[in-house]
Amino acid sequence: MDKSGNGKRENWGSRFGFIMAAAGSAVGLGNIWRFPYMTGENGGGAFIVLYLVCVLVICLSVMIAEFAVGRRTSLAAVGAYKTIDNRWTFAGVLGVISAFFIMGFYPVVGGWAFAYIVKSFSGLLSSAVPIGDVFGAFISNPIQPIFWMIIFLAVNVIIVAKGISGGIEKAGKILMPTLFVLLILISIRSITLPGAGAGLEFLFKPKFDVVNGQTVLAALGQAFFSLSLGMGCMITYGSYLDKKEDLTKSALLVTMMDTGVAILAGVAIFPALFAFGMEPAVGPGLVFVVVPSIFAEMGGIGAVFSVLFFIALMVAALTSSVSLLEVVVAYLIDQKNMERKKAVIVTGAIMTFTSILSSLSMGLMSGVKLFGVGFFDFFDILTDKIFLAIGGMLLAIFVGWFMKKEDLKDELTNGGTIKFGLFEIWYNLIKYVIPVAIAIVAIMGIRSIEQTSLMLFGIGIIVVLAIFSKKL
Ligand code: PHE
C-alpha cells in the first residue's frame, strides 16, 4: 500500500491529522532542548533575530517547496527527486543519510527525557545533590542512558511499523496541545520569579556585536533542524497528502507553531535561569537542569509538573523521531521494495548501534574522537551545520531550475482552484535568493568553524554521492 502507481498510497486520516503530524515532526527536541541552549551559547537576542530571519526568508519557502515536491510525485524524498530528474537522486539520498545521522544522537536525548519522567517521581527535585550534578552523572553513566534510549527507540519502531495514520497521527493529536499548555504554565512561573527581568532582556534585547559567520550558520542550521527541513522529511509527509490540501497555508501554520514553541521554550527557561543566577552558555544540559530547578522551587506541586513536562518533552521528541525513522523506512519501501516491518526493524537496529556510540561518548568513550569530536557531536555537527542547509539549498535549486514553473503553480494552487497570491515572490525566493543566501551563510560559517576536517569530510560525502548518483 505504500507503492505509488499500482494501488492506492496511504493517506493522512484528516486535515487536522496531517497538520498535527507535520507540526509534531517540527516541534521536538529542536525547540525545547536545542533552541534554548543554542540561544544561550550564541549570545541571546541577536541569535533569535537571525533565527527568525532565516525562518521567514528561507525556511518557510523551503517548506512550501518540500510539500509541493512530495505531493506532486506521491513519493518519498529519493523517489521524488528521481522521477523528476534522475541526476538529482543524490540529493534525496543525502536526506536519508541526514535522517540516519540525526537518529544517531536524537534517541539519546529522547532517552534522557524518558529517564527524567521517572527521576521526577523518585526525588530528583528534592535530592541533596545539585540538579546539575545529577544530570552530569546520569548522561556519563555507561548503562542507564542506553537503557532509556533503547526504550525510546523501541517505541519509535512500534509506531512506524504500524504505518502512517495508525500510529504517528494519533500520538501527535493528543500530546502536542498538552505540551503547549505546559510550556505556557512554566513560562508564567518563570517570568514571575524575582530577578527574571534579566532573562527577558537577554532574550529580547539583541546585542549584535557577538555575531559572526558561525553564529549565522548556527541560526540557519537550527532553523532547518527545528522545522524538519533540508532532508526530505517534509517531502515524505507531503507525499501522503491528498490533492485538496492548501499547501502554503499548511506550511505557514506548521512554521508558526514551531517558532511559537521555540520562543516559548526560551521564555520558560531564561528568566528562571537568570533568577537562579545560572550561566546561559551551559550547552546541552540546559533544559534538564533549569526546568527541574524551576519545579523544585515550586515545592510539592512541582513534582507533578515535572513529570508532566518530561512526558510532554519525550512525546514531542517521539513525534519528531518517528518522522526521521519514516524517511529512511519510506526510502527502503519505495526504492528497495522492502516490506514495511522489515525496513523498520533493520533501520531501528542500526540506529540503536549508532545511538549507543553517541551515548557512550558522554562518558566511557569520551576519549574516542572522529575528526576531532566525539560520536554525539559528530552526528550533530555534520547534520546541523552542513547537511540540512546544503540539502535545503539543493532542493531550492532543484525546484527553481529543474521543475516547470507551471507545474509548481498548478500544485500550489491545487490546479487553479485556490489562490496563492504570493506565488511570484515565492518562486523568485526559491530560484534565486535562497540558493545564494544559503551558499553565502555556509561559506561564512564553515570558514570560521574549528572542525575543518569534519567539515571537509561532510562536503566530501555530498560530492561522492553526487558523482555516484546513478547507482543510488
Ligand atoms: N524538527 C525536529 C525537532 O525540532 C527534528 C527533526 C529534524 C525531525 C529533521 C525531522 C527531520 O526536534
Side-chain angles (χ1 to χ4, degrees), residues 25-31 102 106 224-229 231 233 258 320-321 323-324 388:
S25 164
V27 177
L29 296 171
N31 309 58
I102 295 176
Y106 206 91
F224 270 97
F225 184 85
S226 187
L227 289 161
S228 306
L229 296 174
M231 40 78 72
C233 178
D258 187 73
S320 300
S321 53
S323 71
L324 288 157
L388 300 187

Side-chain angles (χ1 to χ4, degrees), residues 60-222:
L60 176 60
S61 294
V62 169
M63 189 181 292
I64 295 173
E66 289 206 10
F67 282 162
V69 170
R71 193 175 65 174
R72 184 94 203 152
T73 54
S74 290
L75 286 168
V78 178
Y81 275 111
K82 200 176 202 164
T83 48
I84 296 175
D85 185 331
N86 70 5
R87 288 168 301 179
W88 280 82
T89 313
F90 80 98
V93 173
L94 177 64
V96 175
I97 294 177
S98 301
F100 241 119
F101 280 17
I102 295 176
M103 284 301 273
F105 70 91
Y106 206 91
V108 175
V109 185
W112 297 348
F114 223 134
Y116 265 61
I117 300 172
V118 178
K119 282 187 191 292
S120 305
F121 271 119
S122 59
L124 166 74
L125 307 181
S126 56
S127 101
V129 186
I131 289 172
D133 296 350
V134 173
F135 179 74
F138 168 66
I139 63 164
S140 55
N141 182 294
I143 296 165
Q144 274 194 33
I146 291 180
F147 169 79
W148 292 107
M149 178 276 289
I150 289 176
I151 296 190
F152 179 82
L153 257 176
V155 178
N156 275 280
V157 164
I158 293 167
I159 294 178
V160 175
K162 282 195 172 156
I164 284 296
S165 56
I168 301 181
E169 198 170 335
K170 272 196 202 110
K173 263 192 219 173
I174 316 165
L175 285 146
M176 295 305 299
T178 313
L179 176 73
F180 201 69
V181 172
L182 272 170
L183 275 176
I184 291 179
L185 286 177
I186 302 171
S187 298
I188 294 174
R189 177 66 276 211
S190 178
I191 49 182
T192 52
L193 286 167
L200 291 173
E201 199 168 293
F202 177 78
L203 279 178
F204 297 118
K205 232 186 180 177
K207 292 200 202 75
F208 285 101
D209 46 326
V210 294
V211 169
N212 57 28
Q214 213 172 331
T215 325
V216 186
L217 180 61
L220 181 70
Q222 172 62 23

